Amino acid sequence: MLPLIGRSVPDDAELDRIFEDFLHAYERGWRAFDDAIPCLDTLAAHGLRLAVLTNGTQTQQTEKLRRTGLDGYVERVFTAEGLGVAKPRPEVYLRVCAALGVEPSHTLHVGDHPDLDVRAPREVGLQVLHLDRHDTHLESPRISTLRDLPRLLDGQSKIAGTALN
């Protein structure tokens, strides 16, 4: 990547330092969106089970949830690292459903990436909802804020579990 931005590639020690600087800046930027906790409060009050499925690492994603105050809402964190398979491979969604003991057709996968969070889980029978915060994609169904999610779920009595990405 460095040559692409006009920098020479330094030795390994310098590369490690650059990565550490990046990692610290990345972690300092972790914030929950302002609509996350109100949405999760409502979903929890309705007794929905919540899980995270991510291609990130277990340690990093668990720490991100803790730092953002979202960890208390999530039953489980599933990562590509722990599952041995990553999104958008079909088996990743099915493994999460099996681990949670829920039918794919009774599971809603909410996420922001059209391929990873909409098309792929839909192909294996999950219900999907595209969180398109910038209103830039045409995937359907979609919302632009998590404030809309509880209202949409009120009319979906067959949803037994919810997997949030």
Side-chain angles (χ1 to χ4, degrees), residues 5-162:
I5 60 171
R7 292 189 57 190
S8 62
V9 178
D11 63 25
D12 286 349
E14 180 63 10
L15 283 173
D16 288 344
R17 190 195 62 71
I18 291 169
F19 181 76
E20 283 297 315
D21 290 348
F22 159 78
L23 187 59
H24 290 296
Y26 171 65
E27 291 174 351
R28 280 193 310 273
W30 289 345
R31 304 280 185 283
F33 284 94
D34 65 352
D35 57 355
I37 289 178
C39 175
L40 295 173
D41 281 339
T42 302
L43 298 179
H46 282 83
L48 290 175
R49 298 171 62 200
L50 306 173
V52 171
L53 170 60
T54 178
N55 283 344
T57 65
Q58 189 75 37
T59 300
Q60 186 179 65
Q61 298 307 309
T62 302
E63 181 63 12
K64 186 186 298 183
L65 287 168
R66 187 191 68 74
R67 285 193 198 179
T68 58
L70 303 178
D71 56 333
Y73 296 97
V74 176
E75 179 179 328
R76 300 232 352 232
V77 176
F78 295 93
T79 64
E81 174 186 53
L83 293 167
V85 64
K87 297 188 289 182
R89 297 281 306 271
E91 59 267 31
V92 74
Y93 310 97
L94 299 175
R95 286 183 188 179
V96 170
C97 290
L100 293 172
V102 295
E103 290 295 321
S105 64
H106 288 193
T107 301
L108 176 65
H109 183 87
V110 179
D112 63 356
H113 193 283
D115 292 324
L116 305 180
D117 300 318
V118 179
R119 294 180 197 116
R122 181 183 288 147
E123 288 176 10
V124 294
L126 279 75
Q127 297 178 58
V128 297
L129 184 59
H130 183 199
L131 177 57
D132 184 6
R133 291 189 181 277
H134 304 290
D135 203 26
T136 57
H137 298 282
L138 299 177
E139 296 299 329
S140 182
R142 69 182 172 162
I143 56 176
S144 60
T145 173
L146 289 174
R147 288 180 184 86
D148 293 338
L149 180 57
R151 177 182 50 80
L152 290 175
L153 293 180
D154 283 341
Q156 301 290 324
S157 61
K158 71 178 187 172
I159 295 173
T162 301

